[in-house]
Amino acid sequence: MFDALLRSALAPTTDAAARVLDVPWVTPNRLTGLNLAAGLISAVLAATQQWILALILWLLCRVADGLDGPLARRRAGGSSPASGQGGFWDICADFIVYGATVVGVAIGASAAFDAPWLPFLLVLFAYYVNGGAFLAFSSIAEKDGRQLDDGRSLSFIGGLAEGAETVLVHSLWLIFPFAAAPIAAVWALLVGLSAAHRVVVGYRALG
């Protein structure tokens, strides 16, 4: 819901960071790899109830995810075109990280606080519908010449639950793991509503 505003507000900071990172041995794809590795480690740490370390690795993975795009766009401004490969790698890493961190928190919270699994399963289901809807829309919109260009590789339909809200919620259940299940239940509802909105808006937009 706040992604567009946050991207605009943070653009000077992320662009400055991209200038610092613009050295030969740092590439956008390597930053995406760092995102993936840090996210998976965060999930393992959450599963073993090492909540603070899991939070640190989760935030690191989100920082890496926030910088690979600005670095790619900076380099695309030169002689090299923007890479579809990089966009594909980025969205795959995000899907893996999102799913793994939900499972990691579910394992850790159920072991430490006897949390029920159902809210986390509902989050995964909502992620599945949400992701399927926006990926299908992006693919068909590209084919039909109706893509939404906001500087990212894919066409994203806005919704209640976007990247900023995901970072916040995943951080909250690492900070308050004893309340992870009720947080997940509310989050599943919000993501579900966002998924339904994307289905309806995407259907109408492609009509």
Side-chain angles (χ1 to χ4, degrees):
M1 184 166 58
F2 301 109
D3 277 17
L5 290 174
L6 284 175
R7 280 197 306 274
S8 177
L10 293 175
T13 301
T14 55
D15 289 345
R19 284 195 297 273
V20 173
L21 292 172
D22 195 5
V23 295
W25 53 274
V26 178
T27 67
N29 284 349
R30 288 176 180 172
L31 286 175
T32 303
L34 175 60
N35 161 24
L36 177 60
L40 291 176
I41 294 170
S42 174
V44 172
L45 291 169
T48 54
Q49 299 105 60
Q50 300 181 67
W51 305 111
I52 299 302
L53 288 176
L55 175 63
I56 293 171
L57 267 294
W58 164 249
L59 294 176
L60 173 62
C61 99
R62 294 299 85 199
V63 169
D65 182 57
L67 293 176
D68 56 2
L71 181 58
R73 287 189 290 273
R74 176 178 174 81
R75 292 187 176 173
S79 58
S80 300
S83 171
Q85 179 192 60
F88 174 79
W89 174 222
D90 181 67
I91 197 66
C92 287
D94 280 347
F95 270 55
I96 294 168
V97 166
Y98 286 170
T101 50
V102 172
V103 173
V105 170
I107 293 172
S110 63
F113 307 106
D114 199 28
W117 273 79
L118 181 58
F120 300 101
L121 291 175
L122 291 175
V123 170
L124 289 176
F125 175 70
Y127 279 177
Y128 173 84
V129 177
N130 200 47
F134 95 73
L135 288 175
F137 173 82
S138 181
S139 176
I140 297 170
E142 180 74 24
K143 179 182 176 182
D144 291 350
R146 304 186 188 183
Q147 62 267 34
L148 306 176
D149 187 4
D150 63 357
R152 292 180 287 183
S153 299
L154 301 174
S155 294
F156 284 81
I157 300 173
L160 287 173
E162 297 183 323
E165 292 81 13
T166 303
V167 173
L168 174 62
V169 170
H170 283 236
S171 298
L172 284 176
W173 59 33
L174 293 172
I175 297 170
F176 306 108
F178 55 86
I183 292 171
V186 174
W187 182 232
L189 175 61
L190 292 176
V191 177
L193 291 172
S194 187
H197 172 262
R198 283 193 166 108
V199 170
V200 172
V201 172
Y203 178 82
R204 289 177 175 172
L206 295 171

